[in-house]
Amino acid sequence: MSAPGHSATRRPTPSGGDAPSCGAPGEPTRASDSGPPSENLVEIRGLCFRRGRQVIFEQVDLDIRRRAITAVMGPSGTGKTTLLKLITGQLHPDAGTIEVDGQPVHRLGKAALYRLRRRMGMLFQSGALLTDLSVFDNVAYPLREHTDLSASMLRKLVLMKLEAVGLRGARDLMPNALSGGMARRVALARAIALDPDMILYDEPFTGQDPISKATLVALIRQLNDAAALTSILVSHDVMDTLAIADHVYVISHGKVIARGTPEAIMADRSAWVRQFIDGLPDGPVHFHYPAPELTEDLFTRRSV
Amino acid sequence: MGRQRGTEILVGLFMAAGFVALFFLAMQVSNLSAGASTEGYRLTARFSNVGSLKVRAPVTMAGVRIGRVESVSFDKDSYEAVVTLRIDPSVDSIPDDTFANIFTAGLLGEQYVGLEPGGSPDHLRDGDTIAYTQAALVLEQMIGQFLFNRAGGD
Amino acid sequence: MLLDGLARLGRSGIGAAERLGRAHLLLGAMLMGAGEVLRRPRLLSAQLYNIGVLSLLIIGVSGLFVGMVLGLQGYITLVQFGAAESLGVVVAAALVRELGPVVTALLVAGRAGSALTAEIGLMKATEQLSGLEMMAVDPVRRILTPRFLGGIIAMPLLAAIFSAVGVLGGYFVGVGLLGVDAGAFWSQMQAKVDFQDDILNGVIKSVAFGVVVTWIALFQGYDTVPTSEGVSRSTTRSVVHAALAVLGLDFVLTALMYGD
């Protein structure tokens, strides 16, 4: 609660004071809404989520602006992927509301949720390509499932999507023949196959060599601007993320501890944000996992 | 396309093999081919004891199978067993004074109905009842009778 | 100490009940999707290939050897009573009633069931199932249901092939090697093996085993802990549970069918 550094950051909680504890799933609190075509595609209010006894999110408010790249950053294990799963309705919040384009995701029926998901693309950390289908068939998959396009039309569309990620020549390869970066680009082509309104990127830069990382950074920016997409990018890769994001949230211990433009985040003075951005081994987040004093631990006689 | 087609052909072969196997089991292994139980005509016979006669047991004449037992039921008024026989249609000249026995195939074998033709010029027709019957021989009764006679003879 | 034991017992009981509930929810969802799959036979034929065609070799070879052993053992016993002509009955009845459906189900659980569990488990571990869901494709209907139906259709066909090959194996040993009269072999068999009581009941059994084996395999894969260790555990569990379920269910079905 009173971890050092937290007091110095700007708290986005509307009430300003100490956040109320998580209660039952709430009704939508339409406080900041101003008419249906809101500027925000995704609005999260008072989000609480627990896994067992572990609190993942506590009273989180988050807005994703249309046609912008919003990055959500934080150390590993802060529930960034969980956040994406909550936005896409794969998980349900314990309290609070999540609205995508005015629709409360967590209360949609299956049919409505699937309709909404057709307008979302998601790039998984592993790519999540179907291993028994070729690159072409993987990209064609959502089109075949959801449209009645003719074979020649389908072919053209798939080749255009593959061209957009620079892998038109790899159409006949199987996913196990692709490098990690190529698999992610194929997955990106698949994610944009149905021309979604929004793409969610789950750790797109993790485990990539500098060249494929730069390729992905350029692609994400390019896709976002060319197709007027809304992008949500979840990452702990500070420099690459700050380079392409329009808006940044930093999450830690289930709370938003900083928000703003990349420049504002870079200039943030709070100890916690500094440790994360500068990559310092010790700070508000300790190097040591919580434990009793070393001397005490070493000299207690206890048979194991 | 080629792979898809190959898969389909193999699946087709598999399903054909499965159905051939089922057909083989039905026609060659089981009594389906011999069954044909809806053909032929029906006779009934009343026995004081049918022993362990089972439905579908053979009905024979001179040792040749000419039909099957269709049902075995109990008449609660006369305390007799009522056995319905299904006789092959080709065997249409059974005299109406035919004698029906329940025999056992071998010492421990299955029981069956054996018909012994009489000399009447009239033939039995569908729905008729065989008047002369001989109950099944029950082993315990025979042994009991044998011992009783031995004791009486001394 | 006692309370700890009780608590552990209770926890495992609750866990088992939860898993059973999830398994039934999955079964319901798969049955709901069955109509859709039947309208897209392509999906089904791929699974008939995976479960049926790929199991054909092991089923055929096993059936042949089981039939040959039955022929040999049956002959050794029957010849002591001078009833070697009944060999056909013994071989056919044993195969059609019991060994055909049961051994086929056990072999399919080992050959195809474990492969299904591993496949679904890996798809879960590599986020392919989540990926489908994000493409607004229901993984249960699209991935699991075709496999479920494929298993149900393939199992009785495989069992019939097993029994038929087994009878031929018994014929080969009994008539070909041991000199039983071929006419007596077939005629005794036909006289005693009943189409309805034996063949149809055998088919019903193998359909039931098909449901159980594929259901267990798919559930274990779908419910797996998405790590490589979790998948390997689920695969083992799939085979063990399926084998136990088949043997238990066989007793129940036999009692219902033949125990008056």
Side-chain angles (χ1 to χ4, degrees):
Chain A
M1 220 34 200
S2 57
H6 272 211
S7 51
T9 50
R10 279 159 294 163
R11 286 277 193 85
T13 25
S15 49
D18 232 19
S21 64
C22 295
E27 291 297 306
T29 50
R30 297 194 167 267
S32 60
D33 259 23
S34 52
S38 161
E39 197 184 315
N40 298 325
L41 185 60
V42 180
E43 290 191 351
I44 297 175
R45 293 286 173 268
L47 171 68
C48 291
F49 186 78
R50 288 186 210 88
R51 187 168 283 148
R53 268 181 219 152
Q54 193 192 354
V55 176
I56 310 280
F57 294 117
E58 198 182 344
Q59 289 292 334
V60 167
D61 293 354
L62 229 140
D63 294 323
I64 309 291
R65 250 188 291 146
R66 289 177 196 272
R67 286 180 288 285
I69 298 178
T70 305
V72 179
M73 295 203 292
S76 314
T78 43
K80 299 187 299 292
T81 304
T82 307
L83 181 69
L84 293 186
K85 287 192 170 170
L86 284 162
I87 292 173
T88 54
Q90 294 179 65
L91 293 173
H92 293 272
D94 293 322
T97 59
I98 301 167
E99 291 188 12
V100 176
D101 207 10
Q103 300 184 61
V105 175
H106 52 288
R107 279 186 288 153
L108 289 179
K110 197 167 164 184
L113 185 61
Y114 274 22
R115 255 197 314 282
L116 186 63
R117 280 191 190 154
R118 285 191 212 181
R119 294 165 47 202
M120 302 176 176
M122 181 156 170
L123 187 69
F124 286 85
Q125 229 173 98
S126 60
L129 295 175
L130 296 167
T131 40
D132 53 348
L133 297 181
S134 69
V135 165
F136 183 93
D137 288 331
N138 258 296
V139 179
Y141 195 90
L143 295 166
R144 287 190 176 132
E145 285 292 326
H146 294 305
T147 65
D148 293 320
L149 294 175
S150 67
S152 70
M153 190 67 199
L154 187 94
R155 197 182 110 87
K156 280 180 194 131
L157 211 54
V158 171
L159 291 184
M160 271 162 56
K161 301 293 177 192
L162 279 173
E163 176 72 18
V165 298
L167 289 176
R168 189 163 46 85
R171 71 187 100 157
D172 293 325
L173 295 181
M174 294 305 279
N176 56 18
L178 300 174
S179 71
M182 282 161 79
R184 245 170 248 194
R185 276 149 72 193
V186 174
L188 187 54
R190 185 178 70 175
I192 58 172
L194 286 171
D195 291 320
D197 301 340
M198 169 165 78
I199 299 194
L200 302 97
Y201 300 92
D202 187 4
E203 303 277 8
F205 309 126
T206 312
Q208 300 293 309
D209 65 75
I211 299 173
S212 58
K213 201 188 273 186
T215 318
L216 277 167
V217 168
L219 259 177
I220 292 171
R221 184 78 251 177
Q222 195 185 320
L223 280 174
N224 196 78
D225 297 345
L229 286 169
T230 305
S231 305
I232 306 177
L233 198 153
V234 148
S235 179
H236 52 231
D237 205 314
V238 176
M239 286 310 139
D240 293 300
T241 309
L242 289 181
I244 55 167
D246 298 313
H247 201 79
V248 179
Y249 283 84
V250 181
I251 301 185
S252 176
H253 294 95
K255 296 192 171 162
V256 175
I257 58 165
R259 60 183 290 185
T261 59
E263 294 74 30
I265 298 291
M266 287 298 277
D268 199 295
R269 290 264 147 263
S270 81
W272 201 100
V273 176
R274 287 267 48 98
Q275 188 195 358
F276 182 67
I277 300 291
D278 300 337
L280 305 173
D282 216 348
V285 176
H286 294 295
F287 169 68
H288 291 289
Y289 195 82
E293 281 297 314
L294 180 65
T295 46
E296 194 184 313
D297 222 7
L298 288 178
F299 292 109
T300 32
R301 286 165 204 275
R302 233 175 85 203
S303 55
V304 180
Chain B
M1 203 60 212
R3 217 179 86 221
Q4 177 81 40
R5 191 159 169 72
T7 304
E8 276 169 5
I9 290 170
L10 283 173
V11 170
L13 279 176
F14 161 63
M15 296 197 64
F19 286 123
V20 165
L22 266 181
F23 184 77
F24 169 78
L25 291 178
M27 303 314 288
Q28 185 68 24
V29 173
S30 82
N31 57 1
L32 186 66
S33 53
S37 59
T38 49
E39 279 178 40
Y41 61 97
R42 229 187 245 143
L43 300 177
T44 48
R46 293 168 164 273
F47 294 91
S48 60
N49 190 340
V50 290
S52 59
L53 186 72
K54 295 265 164 52
V55 172
R56 266 191 290 278
V59 177
T60 65
M61 209 165 204
V64 179
R65 197 187 67 79
I66 59 163
R68 285 184 182 280
V69 171
E70 193 174 70
S71 71
V72 178
S73 61
F74 178 66
D75 183 346
K76 65 179 175 166
D77 295 324
S78 62
Y79 307 110
E80 283 177 323
V82 181
V83 178
T84 314
L85 311 175
R86 174 72 70 173
I87 308 294
D88 293 349
S90 56
V91 186
D92 54 359
S93 55
I94 300 175
D96 66 357
D97 57 351
T98 290
F99 208 87
N101 297 287
I102 295 180
F103 292 129
T104 307
L107 189 60
L108 301 169
E110 203 183 349
Q111 288 190 306
Y112 66 96
V113 177
L115 301 181
E116 285 174 25
S120 167
D122 296 326
H123 300 149
L124 288 167
R125 261 169 290 172
D126 189 32
D128 284 354
T129 301
I130 298 173
Y132 310 106
T133 61
Q134 160 80 55
L137 290 176
V138 179
L139 201 60
E140 293 93 315
Q141 277 180 6
M142 280 167 62
I143 294 169
Q145 236 159 20
F146 175 70
L147 292 175
F148 184 76
N149 289 345
R150 283 286 292 266
D154 277 346
Chain C
M1 212 55 177
L2 182 68
L3 282 180
D4 277 357
L6 269 179
R8 209 171 309 136
L9 187 67
R11 202 157 48 232
S12 64
I14 291 168
E18 267 184 351
R19 270 197 302 283
L20 202 62
R22 284 202 298 276
H24 280 88
L25 287 178
L26 180 68
L27 180 67
M30 288 194 293
L31 291 177
M32 296 281 278
E36 198 179 318
V37 171
L38 291 178
R39 262 178 279 126
R40 293 177 64 175
R42 272 277 164 82
L43 290 179
L44 200 56
S45 84
Q47 297 315 317
L48 281 174
Y49 180 82
N50 281 341
I51 300 167
V53 176
L54 293 183
S55 304
L56 210 47
L57 185 68
I58 189 174
I59 292 294
V61 172
S62 310
L64 186 69
F65 281 115
V66 167
M68 283 163 63
V69 167
L70 277 176
L72 199 56
Q73 290 283 16
Y75 180 81
I76 291 169
T77 308
L78 288 171
V79 82
Q80 297 175 26
F81 303 106
E85 280 71 31
S86 300
L87 186 62
V89 189
V90 171
V91 171
L95 278 169
V96 169
R97 286 185 180 182
E98 290 296 336
L99 291 174
V102 171
V103 177
T104 304
L106 295 179
L107 289 173
V108 169
R111 165 69 189 73
S114 59
L116 284 180
T117 305
E119 185 189 14
I120 302 294
L122 279 176
M123 285 184 88
K124 186 178 178 184
T126 56
E127 296 181 310
Q128 291 183 54
L129 295 183
S130 299
L132 283 175
E133 221 166 285
M134 275 313 299
M135 284 189 275
V137 174
D138 185 347
V140 172
R141 292 194 175 191
R142 188 64 174 67
I143 302 291
L144 269 63
T145 308
R147 285 160 176 77
F148 185 55
L149 291 182
I152 295 174
I153 295 171
M155 189 71 91
L157 296 176
L158 287 171
I161 291 171
F162 185 97
S163 298
V165 172
V167 168
L168 292 178
Y171 176 84
F172 171 69
V173 168
V175 178
L177 299 183
L178 300 171
V180 175
D181 179 54
F185 184 88
W186 291 119
S187 64
Q188 289 257 353
M189 190 191 297
Q190 285 177 8
K192 294 286 168 54
V193 176
D194 185 60
F195 179 70
Q196 208 164 355
D197 280 356
D198 296 320
I199 310 259
L200 275 189
N201 277 346
V203 172
I204 290 170
K205 267 187 183 180
S206 58
V207 171
F209 294 160
V211 171
V212 166
V213 168
T214 28
W215 176 26
I216 288 175
L218 291 172
F219 174 69
Q220 289 295 352
Y222 194 63
D223 204 50
T224 193
V225 179
T227 59
S228 43
E229 194 203 1
V231 173
S232 78
R233 275 183 187 209
S234 296
T235 308
T236 311
R237 234 189 348 247
S238 158
V239 176
V240 173
H241 286 193
L244 290 177
V246 163
L247 294 171
L249 184 65
D250 181 51
F251 175 75
V252 174
L253 287 177
T254 305
L256 286 176
M257 286 167 176
Y258 302 106
D260 294 305

